[in-house]
Amino acid sequence: MQKRSFSIAGHRTSVALEPEFWAGLEAMADARAVSLAGLVRQVDEARESTNLSSSLRLAVLAWYRDGATPGAADA
């Protein structure tokens, strides 16, 4: 697990994910031309789950499932 910290909605939060999920999130961010922090913020704002880590994993899964294209599975 790798832990990274972000500032979301005015507060700091840490997220622990497997390296493969961080790589997927970085690929998604690159494809959407946003920063990793920006992508995490987008997922956070759109999530239906109370768990940010789970929401991030599901966003990566959906993105790859839907073809890993810039507009696929918007968070």
Side-chain angles (χ1 to χ4, degrees), residues 30-74:
D30 286 346
R32 295 181 183 185
V34 299
S35 67
L36 181 59
L39 178 64
V40 170
R41 187 171 25 262
Q42 289 174 5
V43 171
D44 181 57
E45 291 171 354
R47 68 182 161 137
E48 296 176 11
S49 164
T50 58
N51 189 302
L52 179 57
S53 296
S54 293
S55 295
L56 291 168
R57 286 184 184 96
L58 290 173
V60 170
L61 178 63
W63 189 66
Y64 280 108
R65 178 198 64 216
D66 294 342
T69 58
D74 285 335

Side-chain angles (χ1 to χ4, degrees), residues 15-40:
V15 179
L17 294 173
E18 297 78 6
E20 295 82 2
F21 283 105
W22 286 122
L25 288 168
E26 290 166 354
M28 286 175 66
D30 286 346
R32 295 181 183 185
V34 299
S35 67
L36 181 59
L39 178 64
V40 170

